[in-house]
Amino acid sequence: MSQERITKHECAHVAALARLRLTDDELDRFSTQLGELLDHVAEVESLDIDDLPATQHPFGISNLLRADEPAQTLDRDQVLAQAPHIENGQFRVPPVLGEAS
Amino acid sequence: MNPSPTSASQTAAAVRSKARSALSVVEEHLAVIGQSEEEICAFNIVTADKARSRAAQIDAQIAQGHNPGPLAGVPVAIKDNLCTKGIPTTCSSRILEGWEPPYDATAVELLCGAGAVIIGKTNMDEFAMGSSTENSAFRPTRNPQDTSKVPGGSSGGSAAAVAAGFAPIALGTDTGGSIRQPAALCGVVGVKPTYGRVSRYGLIAFASSLDQIGPFANTVADAALVTDVIAQFDSRDSTSISQPVADVLPTLDHGVAGVRIGVIKELGGKGIAPDVAARCDQAIGALESAGAKVGQASVPSAGYGLSAYYLIAPAEASSNLARFDGVRYGLRVDAKSTPEMNIATRSAGFGEEVKRRIMLGTYALSSGYYDAYYAKAQKVRTLIIADFAKAWEDFDLLLSPTSPTTAFSLGERTADPMAMYMSDVCTVPVNLTGQAAMSVPYGCGQDGLPVGVQILAPALGEPLMFRAAAVLEASLG
């Protein structure tokens, strides 16, 4: 039954969505374990609760807006000091599109 | 090996009256850490020098006639997922190793503003995902009561630090029981306040709709003191509760005469170890002796909490942890393109349990499965909230075991994720409903290890919850 819940191929697809590269071993292990977990949590399928609203927040609050006033923010240099790679006061990353130069 | 428990309020009073110096208090705790931290591994970092200079600062304030606050000179241990300015904050993950936050979490700021002294950052399950602290990327923490046992998790380092006498107070975070379960397993008091009472600003998010910060302490009174200090409205957390709330400490000794306490049927019996159940029965007896009206409560859907939790929490985590992409902080594993760099960084930086939960959450949110899993779990959440609301019509407080068993052995459950997740069965419902709950140590099981009793209160019901906890503590003599 577990094998039906999530195949190794599906597992690889989910890993790609999550930007993870899993080894073949990890894919085997995760597809079995996730299948077992999904078997357990599937007990909620039997509950007849289609008419109930979904809860995103326990007390149902909605957006809170502050006054649009300038205020102190984090110091840019301090924040950038923690980045792996910076240039000219900005985060530097490898090419986003196309071939690396 | 454990020193006698120190009371934070007594320590603060002694420091304020100059009977003791804050520096001597810090040195005393550093000495205890020096004796047994090597074996316990409660900390990711002990901030000895910073603690000494901060203590000297507090002593200087007092010498000048200032009052540093209700926690003057009290050493505190901070879970390593709470931001501390200039002190590395890792979430016990390789992906954040070496990162120093540019700001303090609000709860940390409030503790320090009350005179507390940060003595170190505590070990945890990576990104708070786990129930034994064995998922730390660095090393497991051991239970000070028996070092062959786990301290529980995910805030295992904080619970162990208090139990071992490294600090009288620690902060933890509780997403599905991560304060209450380790408190129970280590024999200390642990509190999950009402969702929104303690600001999450500066808490590195796991599951934002469930996460809540709370204290560990040796005594109910100390836990009350810290709760009052950290439970403040904060405009920097959009889920922070703005309505004024009553402090806990002033009514702590008001007892439970006439208070209606319900024992949750669905969180007892099957799956609960007999020695744990026996201690809960004794606790019920003690509350009755103190004048409480005890009855059986039913929350029919409580048993579905675990399933809903293990869909909702990983789903939120998979989204929250998308920010660890190697761009702005922490680890970067270089690659030819940014998407490749993201993948290389995340694959090298996250541990196995974190990957497993990101996978589970991504799957539950993915096209074709969203309605069957995530949306359904959110409806279960609605059902559980409604069932608790019915229980609150008949009862003022509810009671259950905190953990189905006492502390288990290191390595016992690591191979079987589902067995590990079952540790949370009694604690997760409260995170789904947002209510307050706490664990109070109540004797030991047959193995001589601590048992915790969980007291649940409706939202903002902390004052009454603490009164019942104080009654339980006093009944142990």
Side-chain angles (χ1 to χ4, degrees), chain A residues 4-6 10-22 26-27 29-30 33-34 36-59 61-62 64 66 74-75 78-80 82-85 91-101, chain B residues 85 98-100 102-103 194-195 209 238-239 241 303-304 306-308 310-311 326-332 334-344 346-347 350 352 355-356 358-360 362-363 366 369 373 375-376 378-383 385 415 417-418 421-422 432-435 459:
Chain A
E4 291 163 23
R5 288 253 178 225
I6 179 163
E10 275 181 302
C11 217
H13 170 66
V14 173
L17 291 176
R19 295 218 164 158
L20 290 172
R21 183 178 294 121
L22 300 182
E26 283 174 319
L27 282 175
R29 195 161 60 247
F30 280 6
Q33 288 173 342
L34 293 181
E36 282 165 11
L37 292 170
L38 291 168
D39 277 350
H40 182 89
V41 302
E43 68 177 11
V44 303
E45 286 171 3
S46 65
L47 291 171
D48 181 19
I49 50 175
D50 288 350
D51 295 340
L52 287 183
T55 295
Q56 280 92 24
H57 177 281
F59 309 131
I61 62 161
S62 52
L64 286 176
R66 65 167 170 78
L74 293 174
D75 179 74
Q78 247 183 342
V79 172
L80 287 172
Q82 295 295 321
H85 202 164
F91 300 110
R92 185 181 169 87
V93 293
V96 176
L97 298 171
E99 291 296 305
S101 54
Chain B
K85 188 172 182 176
W99 180 62
E100 286 184 9
Y103 63 98
T194 303
Y195 182 84
S209 80
S238 65
T239 58
I241 294 174
Y304 291 100
L306 202 66
S307 289
Y310 277 100
L311 290 167
V327 173
R328 291 152 296 169
Y329 28 65
L331 182 73
R332 175 184 295 186
D334 271 318
K336 281 183 181 159
S337 70
T338 288
E340 280 300 314
M341 180 274 284
N342 299 149
I343 292 168
R346 291 164 60 79
S347 303
F350 288 136
E352 169 136 344
K355 287 178 183 168
R356 185 155 41 235
I358 290 175
M359 291 286 290
L360 182 57
T362 304
Y363 179 79
S366 65
Y369 298 103
Y373 291 115
K376 187 96 183 189
Q378 288 187 314
K379 290 181 178 187
V380 177
R381 195 172 182 180
T382 309
L383 181 67
I385 290 171
M418 202 61 230
Y421 296 176
M422 290 304 288
L432 294 168
T433 62
Q435 296 158 175

Side-chain angles (χ1 to χ4, degrees), chain B residues 163-204:
Chain B
F166 297 163
I169 298 292
L171 284 188
T173 63
D174 191 314
T175 304
S178 283
I179 291 173
R180 291 161 286 157
Q181 184 255 16
L185 270 46
C186 289
V188 299
V189 178
V191 184
K192 187 209 88 84
T194 303
Y195 182 84
R197 271 207 76 173
V198 179
S199 168
R200 291 181 294 108
Y201 180 75
L203 159 61
I204 298 170

Side-chain angles (χ1 to χ4, degrees), chain B residues 64-98:
Chain B
Q64 287 162 12
H66 300 301
N67 179 0
L71 293 169
V74 175
V76 294
I78 308 287
K79 189 177 183 181
D80 210 14
N81 59 350
L82 292 164
C83 288
T84 42
K85 188 172 182 176
I87 301 174
T89 298
T90 68
C91 289
S92 288
S93 179
R94 297 281 177 210
I95 212 162
L96 269 179
E97 209 172 359

Side-chain angles (χ1 to χ4, degrees), chain B residues 396-416:
Chain B
D396 305 307
L397 295 172
L398 296 170
L399 192 132
S400 82
T402 305
S403 162
T405 65
T406 56
F408 44 94
S409 296
L410 273 97
E412 191 180 322
R413 299 187 188 175
T414 41
D416 183 354

Side-chain angles (χ1 to χ4, degrees), chain B residues 18-379:
Chain B
K18 299 186 207 169
R20 299 196 59 186
S21 71
L23 190 57
S24 72
V25 173
V26 163
E27 292 296 355
E28 182 188 283
H29 285 86
L30 287 174
V32 180
I33 292 169
Q35 276 164 24
S36 45
E37 165 62 5
E38 201 179 341
E39 190 181 10
I40 304 296
C41 307
F43 290 103
N44 285 341
I45 185 173
V46 176
T47 51
D49 291 340
K50 280 191 164 79
R52 287 189 182 104
S53 52
R54 165 84 177 136
Q57 201 181 37
I58 285 166
D59 286 330
Q61 278 178 17
I62 291 166
Q64 287 162 12
H66 300 301
N67 179 0
L71 293 169
V74 175
V76 294
I78 308 287
K79 189 177 183 181
D80 210 14
N81 59 350
L82 292 164
C83 288
T84 42
K85 188 172 182 176
I87 301 174
T89 298
T90 68
C91 289
S92 288
S93 179
R94 297 281 177 210
I95 212 162
L96 269 179
E97 209 172 359
W99 180 62
E100 286 184 9
Y103 63 98
D104 278 325
T106 298
V108 170
E109 202 175 81
L110 287 167
L111 276 188
C112 293
V117 176
I118 296 173
I119 203 158
K121 300 293 294 289
T122 58
N123 197 16
M124 53 187 280
D125 286 300
E126 185 177 359
F127 283 103
M129 297 175 188
S131 310
S132 69
T133 315
E134 291 168 290
N135 293 334
S136 164
F138 307 134
R139 53 187 184 167
T141 296
R142 292 169 180 274
N143 192 319
Q145 313 291 350
D146 175 347
T147 53
S148 71
K149 305 292 181 185
V150 302
S154 65
S155 313
S158 288
V162 171
F166 297 163
I169 298 292
L171 284 188
T173 63
D174 191 314
T175 304
S178 283
I179 291 173
R180 291 161 286 157
Q181 184 255 16
L185 270 46
C186 289
V188 299
V189 178
V191 184
K192 187 209 88 84
T194 303
Y195 182 84
R197 271 207 76 173
V198 179
S199 168
R200 291 181 294 108
Y201 180 75
L203 159 61
I204 298 170
F206 162 15
S208 307
S209 80
L210 306 165
D211 295 340
Q212 191 61 195
I213 298 166
F216 291 92
N218 286 305
T219 67
V220 172
D222 279 356
L225 175 63
V226 177
T227 300
D228 287 343
V229 167
I230 62 175
Q232 308 287 340
F233 170 70
D234 181 13
S235 61
R236 293 172 296 186
D237 172 2
S238 65
T239 58
S240 180
I241 294 174
S242 59
Q243 71 191 84
V245 284
D247 274 351
V248 169
L249 209 47
T251 56
L252 194 61
D253 60 356
H254 285 202
V256 291
V259 173
R260 302 167 303 163
I261 301 178
V263 181
I264 304 175
K265 187 175 81 177
E266 291 79 7
L267 299 182
K270 199 182 111 213
I272 307 298
D275 53 344
V276 171
R279 287 294 176 189
C280 286
D281 289 343
Q282 282 180 357
I284 292 160
L287 292 164
E288 274 181 322
S289 301
K293 293 181 209 157
V294 180
Q296 193 181 66
S298 180
V299 184
S301 56
Y304 291 100
L306 202 66
S307 289
Y309 175 83
Y310 277 100
L311 290 167
I312 292 169
E316 291 188 22
S318 72
S319 170
N320 273 326
L321 269 58
R323 61 170 58 86
F324 299 102
D325 55 7
V327 173
R328 291 152 296 169
Y329 28 65
L331 182 73
R332 175 184 295 186
V333 176
D334 271 318
K336 281 183 181 159
S337 70
T338 288
E340 280 300 314
M341 180 274 284
N342 299 149
I343 292 168
T345 299
R346 291 164 60 79
S347 303
F350 288 136
E352 169 136 344
E353 180 63 23
V354 174
K355 287 178 183 168
R356 185 155 41 235
R357 299 219 196 173
I358 290 175
M359 291 286 290
L360 182 57
T362 304
Y363 179 79
L365 290 174
S366 65
S367 171
Y369 298 103
Y370 181 96
D371 286 331
Y373 291 115
Y374 183 64
K376 187 96 183 189
Q378 288 187 314
K379 290 181 178 187

